[in-house]
Amino acid sequence: MNSKELVLKTLEGRNTNGRAPRQLWTLPYAEQHFPEQLKNITSTFQNDIVEVPPEAKQYRTKPQITGDFYELGEYIDEWGCQFTNLQKGIVGEVKKPIIVDEEWGDAKDVHIPEELLTIDTEKINEYCAGTDQFVLASDIARPFERLQFLRGTENLFMDFAYHPPELYRFSFGGKKQKKEPFTGENSLKTTGTKIYAFIEKMHDFYKRLLEVWAGTDVDGLFFMDDWGTQLNLLISPDTWKALFMPMYRDYSDIAKKYGKKIFFHSDGNIEKIIPYLIDIGIDAVNSQVFCMGPENLAQYQGKITFWGEVDRQNILPYGSKDDVKGAVKRLYDAFWKNGGAIAQCEFGIGADPNNVYTVFETWDQLTGN
């Protein structure tokens, strides 16, 4: 079977006679420091899952960006967020948020990147027709992270901590919530209304963005937010369910309406929200499984596909070959049953190229026929 068939069977628990599908994530850092090792890995273990590459993703109206995302210095993205990068080959950080007014009055200065809605569908469809790989959209929705980029993480968490009721008045599916999830002092009543208005505007844009991509011939849509610390969620599960889960459900509904699979990524320990990701229909989740323990997540076998990964904090940079093989075997034992897992890891800063090679070698040994 070809790559697309292999991925679909794996996502749907029908992979009875094929290996685990593969996807290697790389940062430019890997190519800059280990070009020969990277070439060997990608030629030996070819990706079954890809995103639409830059040459096939063209816009009729050019997005307003300045600089290079992975280069030293300043980069301004499509929304006007300024990233500062101190190390070539990795992603920088936003140091100067746009929304600094306590009452969010300057949210009006945020540029909603309507240009991203002008993708050249014909070019994307040509790319999809020319490959038998499973193709993911390469523009993504990331509401929680976008709010952090625009507002600053500390300020945003303070806004959530005061939890004005206006912020949670409505679900994003268009229905009023029967019960406000929070009670108490409403010291930020006006601010809550403005925050909600902006989040609604941002969410509307992301829905339109995913709708545009869903109208192409890609096989899946992708959205993401980093929700976890090493031990727990960054915000309370109640806040997550009240504000972000309805948004994610809208995104998933768009994918299902067009017959697309939905892929989701989050760093950190997100064990508390995995049941909700299953409930809203996520097909595959990429997460730091070793923060949570594969064995603890085995209860979800067959309910969602675990899209990697192998521990990039300890095993990929410092582990022996036997450590890597043991880690992959834990993933296999916890998740694999006629599918349920994708052989994925990240070749980023600190990773030992020999360990990355061993990840895919071991998956092939365990699931190859």
Side-chain angles (χ1 to χ4, degrees), residues 58-349:
Q58 302 295 318
Y59 300 95
R60 294 188 299 276
T61 303
K62 188 176 180 180
Q64 300 178 25
I65 61 174
T66 303
D68 189 304
F69 198 47
Y70 294 106
E71 290 293 332
L72 291 170
E74 306 297 330
Y75 168 76
I76 300 176
D77 73 3
E78 300 90 342
W79 294 73
C81 297
Q82 180 177 310
F83 290 77
T84 299
N85 197 346
L86 302 179
Q87 183 166 351
K88 181 181 175 69
I90 63 174
V91 180
E93 296 181 352
V94 176
K95 300 296 187 182
K96 299 177 181 178
I98 296 173
I99 304 173
V100 296
D101 178 16
E102 289 187 5
E103 296 188 355
W104 284 58
D106 46 4
K108 67 182 186 301
D109 298 328
V110 174
H111 175 70
I112 304 296
E114 300 285 337
E115 300 84 7
L116 298 185
L117 305 179
T118 70
I119 55 173
D120 188 330
T121 300
E122 185 175 339
K123 282 188 177 296
I124 293 170
N125 290 346
E126 286 177 1
Y127 174 79
C128 293
T131 180
D132 63 5
Q133 295 165 302
F134 184 95
V135 182
L136 288 173
S138 53
D139 281 334
I140 60 177
R142 55 193 311 183
F144 178 55
E145 290 189 336
R146 179 53 59 189
L147 290 172
Q148 290 182 74
F149 297 156
L150 292 167
R151 175 66 168 150
T153 299
E154 183 178 347
N155 288 333
L156 183 67
F157 284 3
M158 289 295 292
D159 294 333
F160 288 161
Y162 282 109
H163 50 254
E166 286 79 2
L167 188 55
Y168 307 98
R169 257 191 326 196
F170 301 96
S171 73
F172 285 87
K175 298 180 181 179
K176 288 187 178 181
Q177 295 183 15
K178 294 181 180 179
K179 182 180 180 181
E180 291 178 355
F182 298 109
T183 59
E185 288 290 327
N186 182 18
S187 59
L188 293 180
K189 183 173 181 179
T190 303
T191 305
T193 302
K194 290 182 179 179
I195 296 172
Y196 176 81
F198 178 79
I199 293 177
E200 187 178 48
K201 185 176 181 181
M202 175 194 68
H203 177 54
D204 175 72
F205 168 77
Y206 277 140
K207 286 193 296 182
R208 289 185 290 128
L209 179 67
L210 292 177
E211 191 101 23
V212 167
W213 276 96
T216 72
D217 291 341
V218 299
D219 302 299
L221 304 183
F222 176 28
F223 62 91
M224 64 171 285
D225 276 312
D226 286 343
W227 280 113
T229 67
Q230 192 75 17
L231 300 176
N232 215 326
L233 294 179
L234 286 163
I235 65 175
S236 77
D238 283 344
T239 302
W240 187 89
K241 286 190 291 182
L243 186 56
F244 291 94
M245 184 177 174
M247 287 193 267
Y248 288 171
R249 190 183 295 279
D250 285 349
Y251 304 154
S252 185
D253 287 348
I254 290 169
K256 302 307 179 187
K257 181 174 73 172
Y258 285 84
K260 310 297 184 182
K261 298 298 185 183
I262 190 81
F263 283 55
F264 176 77
H265 161 79
S266 176
D267 279 343
N269 187 320
I270 61 167
E271 185 174 0
K272 289 180 179 177
I273 63 172
I274 286 179
Y276 303 113
L277 297 177
I278 293 170
D279 179 65
I280 64 179
I282 303 300
D283 292 291
V285 58
N286 176 266
S287 59
Q288 290 184 275
V289 175
F290 287 85
C291 288
M292 299 170 275
E295 296 77 13
N296 294 332
L297 303 178
Q299 60 185 303
Y300 305 115
Q301 183 190 65
K303 299 177 181 179
I304 194 168
T305 294
F306 286 87
W307 176 25
E309 65 169 17
V310 175
D311 179 7
R312 55 189 148 94
Q313 295 175 293
N314 299 293
I315 293 175
L316 287 182
Y318 309 119
S320 66
K321 183 170 184 175
D322 284 344
D323 290 333
V324 177
K325 294 173 70 173
V328 174
K329 182 62 162 56
R330 288 176 66 190
L331 297 175
Y332 173 83
D333 289 342
F335 307 134
W336 187 265
K337 185 178 181 181
N338 299 332
I342 292 169
Q344 182 276 347
C345 71
E346 180 177 301
F347 192 171
I349 187 168

Side-chain angles (χ1 to χ4, degrees), residues 17-88:
N17 61 351
R19 58 171 172 78
R22 311 184 194 106
Q23 189 184 30
L24 174 66
W25 288 8
T26 60
L27 291 174
Y29 177 91
E31 187 170 359
Q32 293 160 7
H33 291 81
F34 303 101
E36 293 304 316
Q37 295 95 323
L38 178 59
K39 182 178 179 180
N40 181 44
I41 293 168
T42 56
S43 62
T44 305
F45 306 107
Q46 296 182 4
N47 279 336
D48 298 296
I49 302 172
V50 296
E51 293 184 8
V52 175
E55 59 270 20
K57 187 177 72 171
Q58 302 295 318
Y59 300 95
R60 294 188 299 276
T61 303
K62 188 176 180 180
Q64 300 178 25
I65 61 174
T66 303
D68 189 304
F69 198 47
Y70 294 106
E71 290 293 332
L72 291 170
E74 306 297 330
Y75 168 76
I76 300 176
D77 73 3
E78 300 90 342
W79 294 73
C81 297
Q82 180 177 310
F83 290 77
T84 299
N85 197 346
L86 302 179
Q87 183 166 351
K88 181 181 175 69

